[in-house]
Amino acid sequence: MPRPRGGGGGGHGGGGGHDGAGGLRWLLTYADLITLLMVFFVVLYSISKVDQAKYIQLAAALRESLLNGNRGNSVISQAQVPVDADSLLPKAAGGSTLPRMDRNEQLNLEAIGQELAQALEQAGLKGEVTVTMHDRGLVVSFSDTVFFVRGLAVMKPESRDVLHRIAPILNRLPNRIIVEGHTDDLPNRLPQFPTSWELSVARAVAVIRYLTEKEGMDPKRFGGTGYGEWRPAAPNDSEENRARNRRVDIVLLSSSYEDATDAVRKIITAAGPVPAGGTIVPAPEKAPAAGGAAPPAGAIQQAPEQPGGGGGKP
């Protein structure tokens, strides 16, 4: 009967040690898997935690690239609002600054701006029209040559097609519309326009009348103003800059701007509303003479009856 080899026990012991070490290899794999899972969930957590400031920067960058990605071929741009723009905005009765535009309304106005830009590009007005977003709303700025002959306020026949294109787009929102006329600083030699005020107002009114009378837009939505040469887009120091200043702006106001301006209109004097036929008496600078008591400052005094009133003879 053969005897077992002397090294068999050692071999078995060595084999047992080897098998024991091999049995622990799963632990290394398990530890690696747990480490990878931990890293995976850390990465998921870091991704799910959105940095709002970076998100806003990303949104602004995307909008800027979409609006101004091709400046040479696009008429739409994003307005650069000055840092102190709030000081130019109307104040509400409590002294608060004009509230910022609602996000949904801003998106609606931007969508309208995109449609207007496309319609105006199709009309061949590249370089003569800009569409910008401001705190007060959407501003469509036309060079004066689009609508008028220089120095006149009679609309050119071809300009009516431009207004015909944009009228249905402007009608998609119920917001109020302000038409603003602007001129350069050169004097006008026509007698009907002795100053730039008359010319700028007449041009704004001409645009409003066409949109309301020919295109059927609601006149209650419109307001017109003329700024003459006093709100230039560029210094009046060259012919190129003067051409930029001769413009007509169609402003689609935001509802927040409308609400703020309506609140300003409701502000009255400290003495309260003045009744019909009454006047507010200012405070006297000196004490009244003896025997004649003056009414208090801010009091309501009945207006004197006009000669010939009450059926009497003059």
Side-chain angles (χ1 to χ4, degrees), residues 21-71:
L24 294 178
R25 288 183 179 179
W26 67 269
L27 187 59
L28 297 176
T29 305
Y30 178 77
D32 291 340
L33 178 62
I34 294 299
T35 303
L36 291 175
L37 286 175
M38 182 186 68
V39 173
F40 175 71
F41 284 111
V42 168
V43 171
L44 285 181
Y45 175 76
S46 63
I47 293 176
S48 64
K49 191 175 181 180
V50 178
D51 190 329
Q52 185 175 4
K54 291 183 178 180
Y55 178 80
I56 293 175
Q57 292 178 0
L58 175 62
L62 289 175
R63 182 171 61 183
E64 181 72 17
S65 63
L66 290 174
L67 297 182
N68 295 336
N70 193 352
R71 293 179 180 269

Side-chain angles (χ1 to χ4, degrees), residues 99-265:
R100 295 294 181 182
M101 192 185 309
D102 179 76
R103 178 60 180 167
N104 291 331
E105 183 177 32
Q106 181 179 355
L107 293 175
N108 290 335
L109 288 174
E110 289 179 356
I112 293 295
Q114 292 284 356
E115 290 190 54
L116 289 171
Q118 293 176 2
L120 294 170
E121 284 183 358
Q122 292 173 1
L125 296 179
K126 291 181 181 179
E128 296 186 86
V129 183
T130 58
V131 182
T132 56
M133 281 294 299
H134 293 260
D135 282 344
R136 60 176 178 158
L138 182 71
V139 181
V140 186
S141 185
F142 295 87
S143 170
D144 72 329
T145 57
V146 175
F147 295 133
F148 306 100
V149 176
R150 185 169 178 177
L152 299 179
V154 179
M155 293 184 60
K156 297 190 294 186
E158 58 269 25
S159 65
R160 299 168 186 172
D161 177 65
V162 176
L163 293 178
H164 181 72
R165 286 173 178 263
I166 68 174
I169 303 175
L170 294 175
N171 260 335
R172 294 181 185 175
L173 292 179
N175 302 49
R176 286 184 56 209
I177 299 174
I178 302 295
V179 180
E180 302 173 344
H182 301 267
T183 66
D184 57 22
D185 62 343
L186 297 179
N188 198 319
R189 300 177 181 178
L190 296 178
Q192 63 266 41
F193 304 123
T195 68
S196 60
W197 294 108
E198 288 84 359
L199 178 60
S200 59
V201 171
R203 287 181 167 182
V205 171
V207 173
I208 292 174
R209 289 193 60 183
Y210 184 85
L211 289 173
T212 56
E213 296 175 5
K214 302 299 183 181
E215 297 297 330
M217 298 185 69
D218 187 1
K220 295 180 181 179
R221 296 179 58 193
F222 282 88
T225 185
Y227 291 110
E229 63 195 79
W230 307 109
R231 290 199 180 183
N236 283 296
D237 54 6
S238 66
E239 181 55 35
E240 181 181 357
N241 284 346
R242 288 190 178 95
R244 292 178 57 192
N245 294 332
R246 297 190 299 268
R247 66 193 191 278
V248 175
D249 294 344
I250 298 179
V251 185
L252 192 61
L253 295 178
S254 67
S255 57
S256 59
Y257 187 89
E258 295 180 43
D259 294 340
T261 52
D262 288 341
V264 172
R265 294 190 191 101

